[in-house]
């Protein structure tokens, strides 16, 4: 993945930048969901995880990183994420394709309990990401039949598969908010509306990605997945706030405090749609947490002697983020 600080912040530089061969070939087909699942998986099968010419940033393996960057590296390492060494912005759409393939393969193999609306909205988030990058129209999300797979589900694989789609979606939200802010600053109202509408679509999809990632039995989380995200297997308890992409997303939220109060007309309505999508995404995250007994177990973010329950921690974070966005 590209480091999020390299993501473009205006739509002009975004769309004038390079794309990988896979995105150039398959992107327009994915953006409008033009292929059957069988055809799509067959076409995606040859898409390389790392495109030719992309160099990896190996600083996480050399030691000596500041604490914050060490935590980023722990988070990436657990989920099998590698970062590019330079500003390879073409990786955003490429990684969206790879994440799409991962989740589609997993769903076809093992099935999912999402309903058709959730599954269609999740897929639409990736389709919209590719469409926005390529300058193609973004339609409304359409329901899609959930694959019926019957292979035994591995909770570790499902947890990681869902996150491999979740991470490009978070980067896409960061991208959309950056393009929105630059367009507002430049007085380009149509471009601002397009960017914030895109960020809203992808924000909604990110909640469905969390539902997909957690689509296994609660006992498998407490007995297998959660222990793998804590000492002694990791140096610290894993948390989404240790994500480099999430870190920049929260900074984007703070920057919106200066912009959101100035909006009026259609952009003010679009702002409310985005905030509603943020609320819905936190609600989805809390439901996932509660499913895994988060109302009773201590958050992995906290020390071992803490009494702060996981759902309560999420509620505190939600209040903080929404207060930031609603500081009108």
């Amino acid at each position: 993945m590209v480091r999020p600080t390299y993501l473009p912040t205006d739509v002009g530089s975004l769309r004038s930048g390079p794309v990988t061969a896979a995105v150039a070939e398959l992107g327009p087909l994915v953006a409008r969901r033009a292929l059957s699942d069988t055809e799509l998986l067959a076409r995606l099968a040859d898409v390389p995880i790392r495109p030719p010419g992309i160099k990896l940033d190996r600083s996480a393996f050399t030691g000596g990183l500041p604490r914050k960057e060490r935590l980023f590296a722990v988070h990436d390492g657990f989920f099998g994420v590698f970062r590019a060494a330079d500003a390879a912005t073409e990786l955003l759409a490429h990684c969206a394709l790879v994440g799409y393939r991962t989740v589609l393969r997993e769903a076809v193999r093992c099935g999912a309990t999402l309903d058709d609306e959730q599954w269609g909205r999740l897929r639409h988030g990736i389709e919209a990401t590719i469409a926005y990058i390529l300058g193609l129209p973004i339609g409304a999300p359409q329901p899609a039949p959930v694959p019926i797979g019957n292979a035994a589900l591995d909770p570790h694989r499902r947890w990681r598969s869902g996150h491999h789609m979740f991470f490009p979606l978070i980067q896409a939200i960061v991208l959309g908010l950056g393009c929105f802010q630059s367009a507002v600053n430049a007085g380009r109202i149509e471009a601002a509306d397009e960017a914030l509408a895109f960020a809203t679509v992808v924000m909604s999809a990110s909640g469905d990605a969390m539902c997909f990632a957690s689509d296994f039995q609660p006992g498998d989380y407490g007995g297998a997945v959660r222990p793998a995200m804590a000492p002694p297997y990791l140096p610290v308890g894993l948390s989404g706030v240790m994500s480099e992409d999430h870190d920049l997303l929260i900074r984007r939220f703070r920057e919106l405090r200066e912009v959101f109060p100035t909006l009026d007309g259609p952009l003010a309505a679009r702002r409310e749609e985005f905030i509603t999508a943020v609320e819905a995404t936190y609600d989805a995250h809390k439901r996932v947490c509660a499913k895994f007994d988060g109302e009773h177990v201590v958050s992995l973010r906290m020390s071992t002697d803490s009494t702060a329950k996981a759902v309560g921690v999420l509620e505190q974070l939600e209040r903080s983020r929404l207060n930031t966005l609603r500081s009108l």
Side-chain angles (χ1 to χ4, degrees), residues 58-108:
R58 302 187 183 277
S59 61
F61 305 104
T62 61
L65 292 174
R67 182 178 182 277
K68 192 172 188 178
E69 283 71 19
R70 288 201 308 273
L71 295 178
F72 291 162
V74 169
H75 186 276
D76 281 355
F78 177 81
F79 286 106
V81 172
F82 292 86
R83 301 284 176 172
D86 50 23
T89 54
E90 65 268 31
L91 277 180
L92 175 56
H94 189 89
C95 289
L97 272 186
V98 173
Y100 200 17
R101 176 181 65 190
T102 299
V103 164
L104 190 55
R105 276 179 177 171
E106 172 70 8
V108 168

Side-chain angles (χ1 to χ4, degrees), residues 5 24-25 40 45 53 59 75 121 127 146 155 192 236 248-249 264 270 285:
T5 50
E25 177 187 354
L40 179 57
S59 61
H75 186 276
R121 194 168 53 220
E127 294 156 0
V146 182
V236 294
L248 185 53
L249 175 62
D264 54 22
R270 191 70 76 186
H285 199 166

Side-chain angles (χ1 to χ4, degrees), residues 11 34 80-81 101 129-130 134 156 160 203 220 222-223 226 245 263 265 275 277 281 285 294 303:
V11 74
V81 172
R101 176 181 65 190
T129 296
I130 293 171
L134 296 179
H156 291 287
R160 286 175 170 83
M203 177 63 74
D220 289 331
R226 179 183 166 95
D245 308 302
L263 303 179
I275 294 174
T281 299
H285 199 166
S303 62

Side-chain angles (χ1 to χ4, degrees), residues 159-184:
W159 187 244
R160 286 175 170 83
S161 295
H163 279 84
H164 284 181
M165 198 163 184
F166 180 72
F167 298 148
L169 292 174
I170 296 303
Q171 287 203 342
I173 300 167
V174 171
L175 171 73
L177 293 180
C179 291
F180 162 74
Q181 186 159 354
S182 65
V184 168

